[in-house]
Amino acid sequence: MRILSVMLSIMMTLGCSGTSKSDQWITLFNGEDLNDWVVKMNHYHAGENFGNTFRVEDGLLKVRYDQYEFTDEFAHIFYKTPFKNFHLTVDYRFSGEFEQQAPHYAELNSGVMFHSQSAESQNKEQNWPVSVEMQYLADLGDGKRTTGNMCSPGTNIEYQGKVFPGHCLKSSKKALPKDQWVTAELIVNGPKITQLINGEVVLEYTNPTIDGNDHTVKGQSPEYIQGGKALDSGYIGLQSEGQPIEFKNVKIKILD
C-alpha cells in the first residue's frame, strides 16, 4: 500500500507540473521567412506575392508597395493550417505613406481575417476572402475612429442576440496614433468571439455564418455563398489594402 501511495503521489506531481497543449503558445511568424504562409492577392493566383508586397525585414512581417502602384490589389497572407478554437495575439504598427490610388477607407486600415476560406480556394479575380475580420485602424487626427472593430466580408455575426445588419461593428476603443505598436488579441471559443486591444476587451459577438446576400465579396465560388452556413473554423490571414503596416509577435494558443 505504501508503494502504491508513493507512485500515486509521483504521478499527481508530474501531472500538475506538466503543461497541457492549451497552455502552449505557438509562434506563427518566425521573424525570418514566410515559408509557413500563403499569399492571395486580388487578380493573382494563390502563392503569387506580386511586387514583394509581403516581406520580412528586421524581424518584422512588412506590407509594402514600393514595387508597383497599388489600385485594388487587396491581399492577405494566410497561415498554412486552419484553426477552430484559439487565442491569437498580434502586434501591429502602421507606417509609411498611404497609396493614394487605393480606396479612401483603406487609409491606416488593416486587420486579421479568421474563420476564412483558404488562399487556394479563392478565385483569381476574388477581391476578399469570405471570412470575419478583426479590423485595425489608426487615428486620422479627428478622434472619430475606433480600432478592434468587426467587419464581415461575405458573412454575418450576431451582436446582443440579433444578427448585426451592417458590414462593420465598432468597438469601444478609440483608434491609436500611427507609428505606435498596438497589441491585438482575438479569442474564439465556440460561437463566442472576444476582441482585445492592449489587454482591454473592446468587443464581443457570436455565431458567425456565411451571408448569401452580401455583395462585399465578388468572385467567390458557389460554396461560399451558402447563406446561413455556420463558420466555426478556418484560416487566419493578415491584410494588405493600400496602407503600409508591420506585424510581429504573431502567436496562437489552441483552446479546448
Side-chain angles (χ1 to χ4, degrees):
M1 289 296 294
R2 182 178 180 184
I3 294 175
L4 178 61
S5 177
V6 170
M7 290 178 65
L8 287 172
S9 177
I10 293 172
M11 290 173 66
M12 289 179 65
T13 301
L14 290 173
C16 291
S17 63
T19 302
S20 70
K21 183 178 179 181
S22 61
D23 289 331
Q24 297 176 350
W25 285 99
I26 303 167
T27 297
L28 301 187
F29 169 58
N30 61 17
E32 299 177 359
D33 56 56
L34 300 176
N35 293 343
D36 293 331
W37 298 77
V38 183
V39 175
K40 175 61 181 79
M41 302 180 68
N42 188 24
H43 309 309
Y44 296 89
H45 294 293
E48 294 185 57
N49 186 14
F50 173 72
N52 197 26
T53 298
F54 296 95
R55 62 188 71 167
V56 179
E57 295 176 344
D58 306 318
L60 305 176
L61 198 169
K62 296 185 178 182
V63 175
R64 295 291 186 267
Y65 310 101
D66 53 1
Q67 298 181 21
Y68 64 102
E69 185 175 287
F70 184 100
T71 54
D72 66 344
E73 294 83 4
F74 308 118
H76 301 81
I77 186 166
F78 294 92
Y79 191 70
K80 63 183 180 182
T81 57
F83 297 96
K84 187 176 179 71
N85 297 315
F86 59 87
H87 183 171
L88 176 75
T89 179
V90 179
D91 291 347
Y92 71 88
R93 176 177 67 180
F94 290 101
S95 61
E97 298 302 318
F98 174 63
E99 293 291 299
Q100 294 301 319
Q101 300 302 316
H104 67 88
Y105 63 77
E107 185 173 4
L108 296 176
N109 184 342
S110 187
V112 59
M113 324 304 280
F114 66 99
H115 284 356
S116 174
Q117 62 180 118
S118 67
E120 294 82 358
S121 69
Q122 297 172 54
N123 294 320
K124 180 181 177 182
E125 300 299 324
Q126 184 173 334
N127 57 347
W128 304 100
V130 174
S131 56
V132 184
E133 175 189 358
M134 181 179 181
Q135 184 189 53
Y136 306 152
L137 296 176
D139 183 35
L140 291 173
D142 55 13
K144 294 181 179 180
R145 278 182 156 187
T146 56
T147 190
N149 309 312
M150 183 290 308
C151 293
S152 53
T155 56
N156 282 320
I157 58 95
E158 292 183 7
Y159 180 63
Q160 297 180 344
K162 299 179 180 179
V163 174
F164 180 69
H167 174 58
C168 290
L169 173 62
K170 284 188 173 184
S171 81
S172 60
K173 182 67 174 179
K174 288 291 185 181
L176 300 163
K178 176 187 172 184
D179 297 315
Q180 178 175 324
W181 281 108
V182 179
T183 298
E185 296 176 75
L186 175 66
I187 301 174
V188 178
N189 198 351
K192 182 179 179 181
I193 293 122
T194 304
Q195 299 183 174
L196 302 89
I197 296 292
N198 289 341
E200 174 187 349
V201 174
V202 299
L203 188 62
E204 293 181 310
Y205 53 94
T206 59
N207 298 322
T209 59
I210 291 178
D211 182 352
N213 297 313
D214 180 69
H215 300 293
T216 305
V217 180
K218 302 183 187 303
Q220 71 269 49
S221 300
E223 177 184 357
Y224 297 98
I225 315 178
Q226 298 178 23
K229 181 179 179 180
L231 292 175
D232 61 1
S233 65
Y235 291 80
I236 290 171
L238 302 173
Q239 190 179 83
S240 156
E241 56 180 351
Q243 172 68 54
I245 188 171
E246 300 162 358
F247 302 99
K248 66 178 181 178
N249 297 329
V250 185
K251 299 179 294 184
I252 199 167
K253 181 191 294 184
I254 307 303
L255 303 181
D256 294 334

mmCIF file of all heavy atoms in Angstrom, residues 28-37 49 52-64 77 245-248:
data_model
loop_
_atom_site.group_PDB
_atom_site.id
_atom_site.type_symbol
_atom_site.label_atom_id
_atom_site.label_comp_id
_atom_site.label_asym_id
_atom_site.label_seq_id
_atom_site.Cartn_x
_atom_site.Cartn_y
_atom_site.Cartn_z
ATOM 1 N N LEU A 28 3.518 31.721 -34.950
ATOM 2 C CA LEU A 28 3.123 31.551 -36.350
ATOM 3 C C LEU A 28 4.105 32.237 -37.297
ATOM 4 O O LEU A 28 4.393 31.722 -38.368
ATOM 5 C CB LEU A 28 1.713 32.096 -36.570
ATOM 6 C CG LEU A 28 0.592 31.457 -35.734
ATOM 7 C CD1 LEU A 28 -0.757 31.981 -36.189
ATOM 8 C CD2 LEU A 28 0.628 29.937 -35.809
ATOM 9 N N PHE A 29 4.587 33.420 -36.915
ATOM 10 C CA PHE A 29 5.571 34.134 -37.730
ATOM 11 C C PHE A 29 6.908 34.087 -37.011
ATOM 12 O O PHE A 29 7.043 34.601 -35.902
ATOM 13 C CB PHE A 29 5.134 35.582 -37.957
ATOM 14 C CG PHE A 29 6.199 36.450 -38.564
ATOM 15 C CD1 PHE A 29 6.777 36.122 -39.781
ATOM 16 C CD2 PHE A 29 6.637 37.591 -37.905
ATOM 17 C CE1 PHE A 29 7.774 36.911 -40.329
ATOM 18 C CE2 PHE A 29 7.620 38.399 -38.460
ATOM 19 C CZ PHE A 29 8.195 38.047 -39.667
ATOM 20 N N ASN A 30 7.914 33.473 -37.675
ATOM 21 C CA ASN A 30 9.188 33.224 -37.012
ATOM 22 C C ASN A 30 10.182 34.376 -37.102
ATOM 23 O O ASN A 30 11.288 34.292 -36.573
ATOM 24 C CB ASN A 30 9.834 31.950 -37.569
ATOM 25 C CG ASN A 30 10.140 32.039 -39.058
ATOM 26 O OD1 ASN A 30 10.179 33.123 -39.642
ATOM 27 N ND2 ASN A 30 10.326 30.883 -39.688
ATOM 28 N N GLY A 31 9.823 35.465 -37.782
ATOM 29 C CA GLY A 31 10.707 36.615 -37.880
ATOM 30 C C GLY A 31 11.817 36.455 -38.891
ATOM 31 O O GLY A 31 12.668 37.352 -39.027
ATOM 32 N N GLU A 32 11.829 35.330 -39.618
ATOM 33 C CA GLU A 32 12.905 35.050 -40.563
ATOM 34 C C GLU A 32 12.435 34.869 -42.007
ATOM 35 O O GLU A 32 13.104 35.278 -42.942
ATOM 36 C CB GLU A 32 13.662 33.793 -40.127
ATOM 37 C CG GLU A 32 14.321 33.934 -38.757
ATOM 38 C CD GLU A 32 14.990 32.649 -38.317
ATOM 39 O OE1 GLU A 32 14.916 31.649 -39.073
ATOM 40 O OE2 GLU A 32 15.599 32.638 -37.229
ATOM 41 N N ASP A 33 11.278 34.213 -42.184
ATOM 42 C CA ASP A 33 10.795 33.945 -43.540
ATOM 43 C C ASP A 33 9.283 33.751 -43.513
ATOM 44 O O ASP A 33 8.658 33.771 -42.447
ATOM 45 C CB ASP A 33 11.485 32.711 -44.139
ATOM 46 C CG ASP A 33 11.318 31.471 -43.266
ATOM 47 O OD1 ASP A 33 10.160 31.095 -42.962
ATOM 48 O OD2 ASP A 33 12.333 30.886 -42.860
ATOM 49 N N LEU A 34 8.709 33.543 -44.706
ATOM 50 C CA LEU A 34 7.266 33.360 -44.849
ATOM 51 C C LEU A 34 6.946 31.955 -45.345
ATOM 52 O O LEU A 34 5.933 31.741 -46.029
ATOM 53 C CB LEU A 34 6.702 34.412 -45.812
ATOM 54 C CG LEU A 34 6.904 35.867 -45.385
ATOM 55 C CD1 LEU A 34 6.393 36.817 -46.460
ATOM 56 C CD2 LEU A 34 6.225 36.151 -44.048
ATOM 57 N N ASN A 35 7.775 30.998 -44.993
ATOM 58 C CA ASN A 35 7.617 29.633 -45.504
ATOM 59 C C ASN A 35 6.321 28.971 -45.047
ATOM 60 O O ASN A 35 5.825 28.063 -45.713
ATOM 61 C CB ASN A 35 8.808 28.769 -45.077
ATOM 62 C CG ASN A 35 10.102 29.194 -45.743
ATOM 63 O OD1 ASN A 35 10.089 29.909 -46.742
ATOM 64 N ND2 ASN A 35 11.229 28.776 -45.184
ATOM 65 N N ASP A 36 5.773 29.395 -43.907
ATOM 66 C CA ASP A 36 4.544 28.792 -43.382
ATOM 67 C C ASP A 36 3.295 29.567 -43.798
ATOM 68 O O ASP A 36 2.208 29.291 -43.280
ATOM 69 C CB ASP A 36 4.609 28.715 -41.857
ATOM 70 C CG ASP A 36 5.670 27.733 -41.378
ATOM 71 O OD1 ASP A 36 5.941 26.756 -42.112
ATOM 72 O OD2 ASP A 36 6.237 27.944 -40.296
ATOM 73 N N TRP A 37 3.446 30.491 -44.709
ATOM 74 C CA TRP A 37 2.352 31.381 -45.091
ATOM 75 C C TRP A 37 2.099 31.329 -46.596
ATOM 76 O O TRP A 37 3.009 31.056 -47.376
ATOM 77 C CB TRP A 37 2.675 32.816 -44.675
ATOM 78 C CG TRP A 37 2.825 32.985 -43.187
ATOM 79 C CD1 TRP A 37 3.895 32.626 -42.420
ATOM 80 C CD2 TRP A 37 1.859 33.532 -42.293
ATOM 81 N NE1 TRP A 37 3.661 32.931 -41.101
ATOM 82 C CE2 TRP A 37 2.421 33.482 -40.992
ATOM 83 C CE3 TRP A 37 0.586 34.079 -42.459
ATOM 84 C CZ2 TRP A 37 1.740 33.957 -39.870
ATOM 85 C CZ3 TRP A 37 -0.085 34.542 -41.353
ATOM 86 C CH2 TRP A 37 0.487 34.480 -40.072
ATOM 87 N N ASN A 49 3.125 36.345 -54.707
ATOM 88 C CA ASN A 49 3.364 37.522 -53.874
ATOM 89 C C ASN A 49 3.814 38.671 -54.785
ATOM 90 O O ASN A 49 4.968 39.100 -54.761
ATOM 91 C CB ASN A 49 4.420 37.208 -52.809
ATOM 92 C CG ASN A 49 4.615 38.328 -51.803
ATOM 93 O OD1 ASN A 49 3.812 39.257 -51.703
ATOM 94 N ND2 ASN A 49 5.705 38.257 -51.069
ATOM 95 N N ASN A 52 6.413 41.758 -54.287
ATOM 96 C CA ASN A 52 7.019 41.547 -52.965
ATOM 97 C C ASN A 52 6.240 42.314 -51.893
ATOM 98 O O ASN A 52 6.824 42.925 -50.987
ATOM 99 C CB ASN A 52 8.490 41.984 -52.987
ATOM 100 C CG ASN A 52 9.282 41.429 -51.824
ATOM 101 O OD1 ASN A 52 8.954 40.386 -51.270
ATOM 102 N ND2 ASN A 52 10.337 42.124 -51.450
ATOM 103 N N THR A 53 4.911 42.272 -52.033
ATOM 104 C CA THR A 53 4.039 43.020 -51.110
ATOM 105 C C THR A 53 4.267 42.617 -49.660
ATOM 106 O O THR A 53 4.403 43.462 -48.774
ATOM 107 C CB THR A 53 2.564 42.790 -51.488
ATOM 108 O OG1 THR A 53 2.337 43.283 -52.819
ATOM 109 C CG2 THR A 53 1.630 43.513 -50.526
ATOM 110 N N PHE A 54 4.304 41.310 -49.407
ATOM 111 C CA PHE A 54 4.589 40.811 -48.063
ATOM 112 C C PHE A 54 6.055 40.397 -48.016
ATOM 113 O O PHE A 54 6.514 39.608 -48.847
ATOM 114 C CB PHE A 54 3.700 39.614 -47.734
ATOM 115 C CG PHE A 54 2.232 39.931 -47.688
ATOM 116 C CD1 PHE A 54 1.434 39.732 -48.803
ATOM 117 C CD2 PHE A 54 1.651 40.439 -46.535
ATOM 118 C CE1 PHE A 54 0.076 40.017 -48.772
ATOM 119 C CE2 PHE A 54 0.292 40.730 -46.492
ATOM 120 C CZ PHE A 54 -0.503 40.526 -47.613
ATOM 121 N N ARG A 55 6.782 40.920 -47.043
ATOM 122 C CA ARG A 55 8.214 40.622 -46.953
ATOM 123 C C ARG A 55 8.657 40.619 -45.490
ATOM 124 O O ARG A 55 7.958 41.158 -44.612
ATOM 125 C CB ARG A 55 9.005 41.667 -47.732
ATOM 126 C CG ARG A 55 8.846 43.079 -47.185
ATOM 127 C CD ARG A 55 9.489 44.134 -48.075
ATOM 128 N NE ARG A 55 8.764 44.339 -49.332
ATOM 129 C CZ ARG A 55 8.984 45.375 -50.147
ATOM 130 N NH1 ARG A 55 9.938 46.247 -49.867
ATOM 131 N NH2 ARG A 55 8.278 45.519 -51.244
ATOM 132 N N VAL A 56 9.819 40.026 -45.248
ATOM 133 C CA VAL A 56 10.387 40.002 -43.906
ATOM 134 C C VAL A 56 11.626 40.877 -43.888
ATOM 135 O O VAL A 56 12.562 40.667 -44.654
ATOM 136 C CB VAL A 56 10.752 38.568 -43.476
ATOM 137 C CG1 VAL A 56 11.359 38.581 -42.072
ATOM 138 C CG2 VAL A 56 9.534 37.662 -43.517
ATOM 139 N N GLU A 57 11.617 41.884 -43.027
ATOM 140 C CA GLU A 57 12.749 42.788 -42.842
ATOM 141 C C GLU A 57 12.872 43.143 -41.370
ATOM 142 O O GLU A 57 11.863 43.438 -40.713
ATOM 143 C CB GLU A 57 12.584 44.077 -43.657
ATOM 144 C CG GLU A 57 12.583 43.881 -45.163
ATOM 145 C CD GLU A 57 12.315 45.164 -45.918
ATOM 146 O OE1 GLU A 57 11.839 46.147 -45.300
ATOM 147 O OE2 GLU A 57 12.563 45.184 -47.135
ATOM 148 N N ASP A 58 14.081 43.098 -40.860
ATOM 149 C CA ASP A 58 14.343 43.475 -39.457
ATOM 150 C C ASP A 58 13.505 42.658 -38.481
ATOM 151 O O ASP A 58 13.111 43.156 -37.418
ATOM 152 C CB ASP A 58 14.077 44.967 -39.248
ATOM 153 C CG ASP A 58 14.843 45.841 -40.220
ATOM 154 O OD1 ASP A 58 16.022 45.537 -40.461
ATOM 155 O OD2 ASP A 58 14.253 46.810 -40.744
ATOM 156 N N GLY A 59 13.226 41.404 -38.826
ATOM 157 C CA GLY A 59 12.447 40.542 -37.956
ATOM 158 C C GLY A 59 10.962 40.817 -37.966
ATOM 159 O O GLY A 59 10.215 40.239 -37.167
ATOM 160 N N LEU A 60 10.504 41.690 -38.860
ATOM 161 C CA LEU A 60 9.099 42.077 -38.947
ATOM 162 C C LEU A 60 8.477 41.565 -40.241
ATOM 163 O O LEU A 60 9.149 41.452 -41.267
ATOM 164 C CB LEU A 60 8.952 43.603 -38.905
ATOM 165 C CG LEU A 60 9.594 44.329 -37.720
ATOM 166 C CD1 LEU A 60 9.448 45.833 -37.892
ATOM 167 C CD2 LEU A 60 8.976 43.879 -36.403
ATOM 168 N N LEU A 61 7.188 41.267 -40.203
ATOM 169 C CA LEU A 61 6.430 40.966 -41.411
ATOM 170 C C LEU A 61 5.859 42.295 -41.897
ATOM 171 O O LEU A 61 4.999 42.883 -41.247
ATOM 172 C CB LEU A 61 5.311 39.971 -41.102
ATOM 173 C CG LEU A 61 4.677 39.215 -42.279
ATOM 174 C CD1 LEU A 61 3.787 38.095 -41.772
ATOM 175 C CD2 LEU A 61 3.896 40.119 -43.205
ATOM 176 N N LYS A 62 6.379 42.758 -43.044
ATOM 177 C CA LYS A 62 6.013 44.087 -43.535
ATOM 178 C C LYS A 62 5.137 43.999 -44.783
ATOM 179 O O LYS A 62 5.298 43.097 -45.613
ATOM 180 C CB LYS A 62 7.274 44.893 -43.863
ATOM 181 C CG LYS A 62 8.147 45.195 -42.653
ATOM 182 C CD LYS A 62 9.320 46.093 -43.032
ATOM 183 C CE LYS A 62 10.169 46.433 -41.813
ATOM 184 N NZ LYS A 62 11.294 47.336 -42.154
ATOM 185 N N VAL A 63 4.238 44.972 -44.911
ATOM 186 C CA VAL A 63 3.434 45.160 -46.120
ATOM 187 C C VAL A 63 3.929 46.433 -46.788
ATOM 188 O O VAL A 63 3.905 47.508 -46.181
ATOM 189 C CB VAL A 63 1.937 45.278 -45.778
ATOM 190 C CG1 VAL A 63 1.118 45.598 -47.017
ATOM 191 C CG2 VAL A 63 1.440 43.990 -45.119
ATOM 192 N N ARG A 64 4.378 46.305 -48.052
ATOM 193 C CA ARG A 64 4.949 47.438 -48.774
ATOM 194 C C ARG A 64 4.483 47.444 -50.230
ATOM 195 O O ARG A 64 4.162 46.409 -50.800
ATOM 196 C CB ARG A 64 6.480 47.383 -48.726
ATOM 197 C CG ARG A 64 7.071 47.552 -47.327
ATOM 198 C CD ARG A 64 6.862 48.964 -46.822
ATOM 199 N NE ARG A 64 7.522 49.205 -45.548
ATOM 200 C CZ ARG A 64 6.947 49.062 -44.353
ATOM 201 N NH1 ARG A 64 5.687 48.656 -44.275
ATOM 202 N NH2 ARG A 64 7.615 49.333 -43.244
ATOM 203 N N ILE A 77 -2.198 37.379 -46.374
ATOM 204 C CA ILE A 77 -1.223 36.307 -46.238
ATOM 205 C C ILE A 77 -1.730 35.379 -45.142
ATOM 206 O O ILE A 77 -1.961 35.797 -44.002
ATOM 207 C CB ILE A 77 0.194 36.854 -45.945
ATOM 208 C CG1 ILE A 77 1.213 35.723 -45.959
ATOM 209 C CG2 ILE A 77 0.260 37.693 -44.675
ATOM 210 C CD1 ILE A 77 2.658 36.199 -46.028
ATOM 211 N N ILE A 245 2.091 48.575 -43.367
ATOM 212 C CA ILE A 245 1.890 48.161 -41.984
ATOM 213 C C ILE A 245 2.923 47.090 -41.660
ATOM 214 O O ILE A 245 3.468 46.448 -42.560
ATOM 215 C CB ILE A 245 0.449 47.633 -41.753
ATOM 216 C CG1 ILE A 245 0.188 47.376 -40.267
ATOM 217 C CG2 ILE A 245 0.162 46.400 -42.608
ATOM 218 C CD1 ILE A 245 -1.272 47.058 -39.945
ATOM 219 N N GLU A 246 3.189 46.914 -40.374
ATOM 220 C CA GLU A 246 4.152 45.921 -39.919
ATOM 221 C C GLU A 246 3.521 45.065 -38.830
ATOM 222 O O GLU A 246 2.706 45.561 -38.038
ATOM 223 C CB GLU A 246 5.403 46.626 -39.385
ATOM 224 C CG GLU A 246 6.086 47.487 -40.437
ATOM 225 C CD GLU A 246 7.040 48.520 -39.852
ATOM 226 O OE1 GLU A 246 7.145 48.588 -38.607
ATOM 227 O OE2 GLU A 246 7.654 49.256 -40.634
ATOM 228 N N PHE A 247 3.908 43.786 -38.807
ATOM 229 C CA PHE A 247 3.394 42.846 -37.815
ATOM 230 C C PHE A 247 4.559 42.140 -37.130
ATOM 231 O O PHE A 247 5.598 41.876 -37.737
ATOM 232 C CB PHE A 247 2.504 41.788 -38.474
ATOM 233 C CG PHE A 247 1.319 42.333 -39.223
ATOM 234 C CD1 PHE A 247 1.365 42.471 -40.601
ATOM 235 C CD2 PHE A 247 0.159 42.685 -38.557
ATOM 236 C CE1 PHE A 247 0.270 42.947 -41.309
ATOM 237 C CE2 PHE A 247 -0.938 43.170 -39.247
ATOM 238 C CZ PHE A 247 -0.876 43.302 -40.629
ATOM 239 N N LYS A 248 4.356 41.782 -35.873
ATOM 240 C CA LYS A 248 5.316 40.962 -35.136
ATOM 241 C C LYS A 248 4.577 40.235 -34.018
ATOM 242 O O LYS A 248 3.390 40.493 -33.753
ATOM 243 C CB LYS A 248 6.451 41.817 -34.558
ATOM 244 C CG LYS A 248 6.015 42.806 -33.470
ATOM 245 C CD LYS A 248 7.219 43.577 -32.923
ATOM 246 C CE LYS A 248 6.785 44.539 -31.812
ATOM 247 N NZ LYS A 248 7.927 45.271 -31.214
#
